[in-house]
Amino acid sequence: MTARTSLPRRAAAEIIGTAGLLVVVIGSGIKSAQLSADTGVALIANSLASAIGLGLIITLLGPLSGAHLNPVVTLTSWWARRTGGDGLSGRDALVYTASQTAGAISGAVLAEVMFGRTPGAFATQVRDGGNLLLGEVIATAGLVLVIQGLGRIGRPRLIPAAVAAYIAAAIWFTSSGSFANPAGTIGRSFSDSFTGIAPESLPGFVGAQLIGGVLGLALAGILYGSARTTRTVPAEIVPAATSPAMDKFETIG
């Protein structure tokens, strides 16, 4: 279980997992754009590949690090500990966040190299405007609510599939395309492709994601109460999970 996994091993899992996620997201975006000039068809392929890859990564790496893959998820885990629940320490949260960011950049560069593109070129696709930032707030709040909600009602084994399904849907129903991940957003700025985002758009997107994380936590509290009141489930029956609330079930460091 993750409670017994060393921090270096958990950090390695976060680096590898986030890198893998960016390879899937960017790689499938490049491939779909190559195969179809129809943006809608390309987005269908990209969203399906991203969701499937995310679910598999969470399932595989969840028992090691919790498979956060996302600084917002990590920060909600840190906040849970700060408010008297179980979660990551400040030191662990910093290591997780740095690992996720390094992994995201590495994954973006790897995807570019894999498709024979020149690595290191920044994205030129500017994504700005209040409507897109609102989309990011909603996308991230929904992601946190899904994770927190399932954790607090004692159904962590549903999280890998639920998170994957949510991201697949949110790519379509949000105006921003549901980046919903500060590390992933930074990584995608290193790919001038279908899924890229120009560096000048990063502050707005990352800020919106952090606001969305706070909103998601607030909604979870309103709907399900404090994480401290969550019914405890024996650790031996709980598999991989990304939820910060799952720390008490020994699925997250």
Side-chain angles (χ1 to χ4, degrees):
M1 309 304 292
T2 59
R4 302 187 184 96
T5 303
S6 67
L7 180 58
R9 182 172 291 182
R10 284 183 281 143
E14 289 297 304
I15 291 172
I16 294 169
T18 313
L21 176 60
L22 268 291
V23 168
V24 171
V25 172
I26 294 175
S28 63
I30 294 172
K31 187 74 170 182
S32 59
Q34 288 177 344
L35 295 176
S36 176
D38 188 316
T39 303
V41 173
L43 188 58
I44 289 173
N46 178 238
S47 60
L48 287 176
S50 298
I52 293 169
L54 176 59
L56 290 173
I57 291 169
I58 294 172
T59 300
L60 179 64
L61 298 180
L64 293 176
S65 67
H68 291 195
L69 315 176
N70 186 335
V72 169
V73 176
T74 294
L75 289 173
T76 57
S77 179
W78 169 79
W79 182 251
R81 181 162 176 163
R82 289 270 299 176
T83 54
D86 294 316
L88 293 177
S89 67
R91 172 174 172 265
D92 285 8
L94 285 174
V95 171
Y96 268 48
T97 300
S99 299
Q100 292 153 1
T101 304
I105 295 171
S106 299
V109 172
L110 178 58
E112 292 284 297
V113 173
M114 183 169 60
F115 280 90
R117 296 159 58 93
T118 302
F122 287 112
T124 56
Q125 185 172 356
V126 176
R127 301 175 189 261
D128 56 19
N131 63 313
L132 297 187
L133 299 183
L134 177 61
E136 275 301 282
V137 171
I138 293 171
T140 312
L143 174 63
V144 171
L145 180 58
V146 167
I147 294 170
Q148 289 283 329
L150 289 173
R152 295 185 190 195
I153 63 175
R155 295 189 176 181
R157 55 170 50 95
L158 298 179
I159 289 175
V163 168
Y166 174 79
I167 291 299
I171 287 173
W172 283 91
F173 76 71
T174 61
S175 57
S176 63
S178 185
F179 284 47
N181 182 336
T185 304
I186 292 171
R188 286 163 71 162
S189 72
F190 284 81
S191 174
D192 191 16
S193 64
F194 179 72
T195 58
I197 177 171
E200 57 263 39
S201 300
L202 291 180
F205 263 59
V206 171
Q209 291 156 1
L210 294 176
I211 293 171
V214 173
L215 177 59
L217 275 176
L219 291 173
I222 292 170
L223 294 172
Y224 302 105
S226 169
R228 288 172 291 179
T229 64
T230 304
R231 179 174 59 86
T232 300
V233 177
E236 62 270 14
I237 68 171
V238 181
T242 60
S243 171
M246 293 302 95
D247 291 278
K248 65 180 64 184
F249 304 147
E250 297 184 345
T251 61
I252 297 180

